[in-house]
Amino acid sequence: MAQAPLLNVHHLQKKFGQFHALTDVDFKIYPGEVFGFIGPNGAGKSTTIRILLGLIRASGGQATLFGQDVWRDSVAIHRRIAYVPGDVTLWPNMSGGEIIDMFLRLNGDRHSDKTETLIKKFGLDPRKKARTYSKGNRQKVALIAAFSMDADFYIFDEPTSGLDPLNEQTFQAEVLALKARGKSVLLSSHILSEVEKMCDRIGIIREGRIVETGTLADMRHLTRTTVDVQTTAPVTDVAALAGVHGVTVETDHHVTFAVDADQLTAIMAFLTEKGLVALTTTPPTLEDLFMRYYQGADQAVDGK
Ligand SMILES: Nc1ncnc2c1ncn2[C@@H]1O[C@H](COP(=O)(O)OP(=O)(O)OP(=O)(O)O)[C@@H](O)[C@H]1O
Ligand SMILES: [Mg+2]
């Protein structure tokens, strides 16, 4: 991409005592991009985000937002970002409406028509004291404030874990509206369908290290098609071919397996030679790919 990145994270590291929470976190986010940040519990997503927010200091590497250092220039950066965490804590004795307005004032913004529209869209009763709100309602308070801010960069760390499906839809629509206005978004989420629907590029983090970044199209190249085939000649030797994984032998003439996208043509030619009796292929989903990353290094995409 010719544009300069808005966020540039390079070889970021974080130690808590002797524990290396982040060993090598490396990614960029460009203007107008929605970037999905996914990975198992404890992988380092929130730690990375807390460094970007200037809440904790990195032990090594660099992170710049708008070309400014996230630690040294955090005050200037804060005026241009909006942040929503997954576990929103609010002042118990203030009403939701008062808290929204306070979040806005703290960011140099004010209550606008947009704020009113968002309160209606998310169906929040802003007159109730925060202590009476459910988890989802607390999240709505933070989301309404963030979406009514005129920020340049929006950071969401599992923002929808307490939202019902209707509010989840509202969240997705608002993120896409930000993107349409050229804003950039960092979205950490365990809801893979949400990531698949909204994100232009994705970074996968495991054990403090980014193991994959790319567009959804890039990721699809890494996916596998499931094949169930019956042939006239014995077909069990398909297991020896490159790109074939997880072969289940039903009979000598009937096997199921998964095949890497880039080997599909070669495998189909091989099967055709065997004389096809029946063939079912199931297209890959990104969810399958993500799950492999969640499951463990020994099942990672390259099979190593
Ligand atoms: N203040 C801290 N002191 C010590 N260890 C910490 C601290 N904060 C985080 N960690 C550790 O760093 C690792 C990364 O945690 P982090 O919260 O960034 O994970 P995450 O990817 O956000 O996970 P989740 O999906 O569960 O939110 C974990 O092993 C966690 O226990
Ligand atoms: Mg987290």
Side-chain angles (χ1 to χ4, degrees), residues 20 44 46 51 86 90 92 96 100 115 153 165 197 214 228-229 233 235 240 252-253 255 273 280 289-290 293 297 302:
H20 289 259
S46 298
I51 293 172
L90 303 172
I100 289 170
T115 317
F153 194 83
K197 226 176 281 174
D228 182 320
V229 66
V235 71
D252 282 355
H253 300 258
V255 294
E273 286 287 301
T280 316
L289 174 72
F290 294 156
Y293 279 109
D302 56 8

Side-chain angles (χ1 to χ4, degrees), residues 77-205:
I77 289 174
H78 265 257
R79 291 195 202 102
R80 299 177 62 189
I81 61 180
Y83 164 61
V84 178
D87 47 346
V88 176
T89 44
L90 303 172
W91 295 270
N93 288 321
M94 286 172 74
S95 73
E98 286 168 342
I99 294 171
I100 289 170
D101 292 352
M102 180 147 115
F103 279 147
L104 287 170
R105 274 198 305 277
L106 287 172
N107 225 52
D109 281 275
R110 55 183 65 235
H111 192 104
S112 62
D113 292 346
K114 171 96 184 146
T115 317
E116 283 306 310
T117 311
L118 285 162
I119 288 172
K120 287 202 185 73
K121 273 191 188 163
F122 279 105
L124 180 79
D125 182 348
R127 292 161 305 181
K128 286 193 175 156
K129 297 272 191 227
R131 89 170 98 78
T132 71
Y133 283 143
S134 64
K135 175 181 170 148
N137 281 328
R138 288 198 298 277
Q139 278 183 311
K140 287 185 202 174
V141 168
L143 285 169
I144 290 165
F147 284 124
S148 26
M149 281 174 199
D150 189 26
D152 295 313
F153 194 83
Y154 294 77
I155 299 178
F156 298 109
D157 190 359
E158 289 183 55
T160 61
S161 47
L163 294 189
D164 64 41
L166 212 57
N167 284 299
E168 165 78 38
Q169 265 184 5
T170 306
F171 169 78
Q172 292 182 9
E174 289 303 319
V175 169
L176 293 177
L178 289 179
K179 182 177 150 63
R181 285 164 50 213
K183 307 292 190 179
S184 302
V185 177
L186 171 58
L187 169 67
S188 156
S189 175
H190 289 299
I191 302 172
L192 301 179
S193 60
E194 173 179 281
V195 173
E196 186 167 357
K197 226 176 281 174
M198 288 195 294
C199 298
D200 302 294
R201 283 192 311 126
I202 291 168
I204 300 176
I205 184 170

Side-chain angles (χ1 to χ4, degrees), residues 212-228:
E212 201 73 60
T213 37
T215 63
L216 288 173
D218 293 337
M219 302 257 167
R220 279 188 210 283
H221 286 304
L222 301 170
T223 57
R224 292 172 187 167
T225 299
T226 306
V227 177
D228 182 320

Side-chain angles (χ1 to χ4, degrees), residues 4-10 12 27-29 51-52 61-73 77 153:
L6 212 60
L7 172 72
N8 195 343
V9 179
H10 181 61
L12 201 66
F27 64 97
K28 297 178 172 69
I29 301 182
I51 293 172
L52 300 183
Q62 291 106 39
T64 57
L65 196 44
F66 317 120
Q68 294 171 299
D69 183 89
V70 292
W71 177 256
R72 227 186 29 238
D73 305 319
I77 289 174
F153 194 83

